[in-house]
Amino acid sequence: MYNRVALIGLGLIASSMFWAIKRGGLAGEVTGYARSQATRDTARRIGLCDTVCDSAAEAVAGADLVILCVPVGVMGDVAAEIGPHLASGATVSDVGSVKRAVIDAVAPHLPDTVHFVPGHPLAGTEHSGPESGFAELFDNRWTLLVPVEGSDADAVARLRGLWEGMGAYVDEMEPDHHDLVLAVTSHAPHLIAYTMVGVADDLRRVTDSEVIKYSAAGFRDFTRIAASDPTMWRDVFLNNKDATLEILGRFTEELFALQRAIRRGDGDHLHAYFTRTRAIRRGIIEAGQDTDAPDFGRGGKR
Ligand SMILES: NC(=O)C1=CN([C@@H]2O[C@H](COP(=O)(O)OP(=O)(O)OC[C@H]3O[C@@H](n4cnc5c(N)ncnc54)[C@H](O)[C@@H]3O)[C@@H](O)[C@H]2O)C=CC1
Ligand SMILES: O=C(O)C(=O)Cc1ccc(O)cc1
């Protein structure tokens, strides 16, 4: 599908992309670059990328697809570094969890001769680094492509084909809408998990290790999410500030209302609220929107 793909930043997402590209035979050659020597050494040792380059400029030279797989806060710096070395007609994409800030940071550094098609795979784990990737990460998960004004339709279609080849379902979305949707579905939930684990840690003196020993599914999931990479998540919140603050504002209002219901013993309020939220989960399943369901994607449910 592409002759030469360059992956910049060799962590969870880039390494998963590499293994998925190899699994599907989707590119002639894959080059890679990471800022730290240690990451490049690890990548070479485990056979991650056909060629690991010692500079970003070298990695992107002659590539017809370049994908920025670095934390959101450094996307602009990396774009400035590679801009002068991009091949004419190449597509530049990214996998950042935030889209508007990345577009604003990256676009000014790209020459007019390349196509910019931002993207975001809605798939990940709490692990990071070059050894954490696996070919199946994107299987049956959504990837959102977020074309910018003037994005070339052929470049978008070709990139869609690559993601589908890596096992993903693909949709397109407008950048600000993406950031609001992700604030609800991913960014605010991560912050809530971080907070809950922080609260448990503050209580450590009182609870000793019982919180960990007896943690039921809910808290266990929070600890998994709260183990995610601190640099990545710092950058997500600093770069999706408005949407995250909007959602957290609504969240705290609802939380206060539930808190008051508990204090007042208002069981009706609690029961009505939990009934409504249960219907949302059932709605996801009944509408055929659960990508984990065995028949998802068949029978026109997508
Ligand atoms: N981890 C996850 O679950 C998901 C992450 N993303 C997004 O994907 C991107 C990458 O995330 P991960 O692969 O999880 O991160 P990671 O921490 O596993 O890897 C990031 C890589 O970028 C390198 N790097 C950092 N600064 C750099 C620079 N200035 N120049 C070159 N390389 C640099 C690091 O050395 C590392 O190899 C982020 O923008 C994140 O928001 C998207 C979907 C899921
Ligand atoms: O591990 C999890 O539960 C995740 O939520 C993974 C994830 C993290 C960040 C993204 O932008 C997309 C997916």
Side-chain angles (χ1 to χ4, degrees):
M1 302 196 65
Y2 290 94
N3 294 322
R4 186 167 174 172
V5 175
L7 302 172
I8 309 298
L10 297 174
L12 168 73
I13 300 297
S15 56
S16 297
M17 290 186 77
F18 174 74
W19 299 119
I21 287 171
K22 286 293 149 186
R23 180 187 68 176
L26 306 172
E29 188 195 2
V30 181
T31 60
Y33 168 74
R35 187 186 40 172
S36 89
Q37 181 70 49
T39 304
R40 298 198 297 269
D41 288 346
T42 303
R44 287 184 179 117
R45 179 172 52 76
I46 64 174
L48 177 63
C49 294
D50 299 312
T51 312
V52 176
C53 302
D54 286 318
S55 75
E58 199 188 322
V60 304
D64 46 1
L65 176 64
V66 175
I67 306 195
L68 309 182
C69 306
V70 296
V72 165
V74 294
M75 292 276 184
D77 295 344
V78 172
E81 203 177 330
I82 63 169
H85 308 283
L86 293 166
S88 176
T91 293
V92 175
S93 187
D94 78 296
V95 294
S97 302
V98 176
K99 294 278 59 92
R100 172 59 65 192
V102 168
I103 291 168
D104 290 349
V106 169
H109 300 293
L110 303 181
D112 295 340
T113 52
V114 306
H115 307 295
F116 183 31
V117 186
H120 180 198
L122 306 186
T125 73
E126 69 280 23
H127 302 297
S128 55
E131 292 177 284
S132 58
F134 52 100
E136 299 78 22
L137 179 65
F138 311 112
D139 284 348
N140 304 323
R141 301 279 157 225
W142 286 103
T143 288
L144 297 174
L145 295 183
V146 184
V148 292
E149 225 178 81
S151 279
D152 179 71
D154 290 342
V156 176
R158 204 167 159 208
L159 187 59
R160 171 187 278 268
L162 180 79
W163 278 106
E164 287 175 348
M166 290 191 288
Y169 302 115
V170 179
D171 247 344
E172 290 180 30
M173 206 180 259
E174 186 275 327
D176 295 313
H177 189 64
H178 167 279
D179 289 353
L180 183 64
V181 170
L182 267 291
V184 181
T185 57
S186 176
H187 305 167
H190 270 78
L191 200 72
I192 292 160
Y194 277 121
T195 313
M196 201 55 230
V197 175
V199 168
D201 190 46
D202 289 342
L203 285 173
R204 211 173 21 186
R205 263 184 311 110
V206 193
T207 61
D208 205 7
S209 61
E210 288 131 334
V211 168
I212 303 301
K213 186 172 173 189
Y214 302 120
S215 54
F219 186 74
R220 199 184 292 265
D221 283 349
F222 279 165
T223 61
R224 183 187 72 76
I225 289 169
S228 302
D229 186 67
T231 304
M232 172 189 153
W233 283 98
R234 175 201 64 195
D235 284 6
V236 167
F237 293 115
L238 295 181
N239 288 281
N240 196 18
K241 193 171 169 179
D242 294 346
T244 309
L245 290 178
E246 163 69 18
I247 300 308
L248 289 173
R250 288 166 185 260
F251 175 81
T252 42
E253 280 176 26
E254 301 270 313
L255 188 65
F256 279 138
L258 291 170
Q259 205 173 325
R260 197 176 52 225
I262 294 170
R263 183 175 296 113
R264 291 179 174 174
D266 185 352
D268 289 347
H269 180 95
L270 296 174
H271 194 270
Y273 201 91
F274 301 156
T275 303
R276 180 156 71 91
T277 54
R278 180 161 70 174
I280 291 170
R281 168 80 192 167
R282 289 183 175 170
I284 292 171
I285 292 161
E286 277 158 23
Q289 298 294 344
D290 180 8
T291 52
D292 286 333
D295 62 344
F296 183 81
R298 290 183 221 128
K301 289 207 164 169
R302 284 174 57 193

